[in-house]
Amino acid sequence: QVQLVESGGGLVQPGGSLRVSCATSRSIFSVYKMGWYRQAPGKERELVAAITSGGWRNYADSVKGRFTIFRDDVKNTVYLQMNSLKPEDTAVYYCNAEEIRPGVLGRVIWGQGIQVTVSS
């Protein structure tokens, strides 16, 4: 029932900024951990940033100090603000939701993915 729809990708110059958005079909932040992943050609998908229902955040070492994940509970949208972008940030970015269930595997939901290209 839950769907994730990303938007805001595109082309940006090195050193520039970009904000990608992930809209959820319903309010889920209280029971899902939200995250952004990315996958570059020939590489494995990697976690970029995540935020829990309690607001705890973690980031990949490669983006610490440059990227910020945050959410708007009214709009049911999670964002990834990307600053000081580098060419190595170029990848398809995916929104992810992981259901929190004690003792069992929760449902995992993925967005379609959006292209972010950092190039001059």
Side-chain angles (χ1 to χ4, degrees), residues 101-114:
R101 287 190 172 185
V104 298
L105 179 64
R107 185 175 182 180
V108 179
I109 305 169
W110 292 95
Q112 292 293 108
I114 51 173

Side-chain angles (χ1 to χ4, degrees), residues 1 5 13 17-18 22 25 27 30 42-43 45 51-52 60-61 63-65 74 88 92 117 120:
Q1 185 175 351
V5 181
Q13 293 183 334
S17 298
L18 196 66
C22 175
S25 58
S27 179
S30 64
K43 297 183 178 180
R45 190 173 300 184
I51 183 168
T52 69
D61 289 340
V63 307
K64 286 182 179 178
V74 175
E88 51 262 43
V92 176
T117 302
S120 59

Side-chain angles (χ1 to χ4, degrees), residues 3 9 31 44 70 114:
Q3 292 181 304
V31 294
E44 292 186 345
F70 62 100
I114 51 173

Side-chain angles (χ1 to χ4, degrees), residues 1 3 29 39 50-51 54-55 57 59 67 81 95 97 116 120:
Q1 185 175 351
Q3 292 181 304
F29 299 149
Q39 187 168 22
I51 183 168
R57 303 167 182 175
Y59 300 90
F67 291 11
Q81 178 67 45
C95 184
V116 173
S120 59

Side-chain angles (χ1 to χ4, degrees), residues 69-111:
I69 186 171
F70 62 100
R71 64 177 188 241
D72 186 325
D73 294 349
V74 175
K75 296 182 178 180
N76 297 323
T77 302
V78 62
Y79 305 89
L80 182 68
Q81 178 67 45
M82 299 179 285
N83 299 326
S84 301
L85 283 161
K86 305 174 181 179
E88 51 262 43
D89 294 318
T90 296
V92 176
Y93 283 71
Y94 297 89
C95 184
N96 168 269
E98 299 180 13
E99 188 179 17
I100 302 170
R101 287 190 172 185
V104 298
L105 179 64
R107 185 175 182 180
V108 179
I109 305 169
W110 292 95

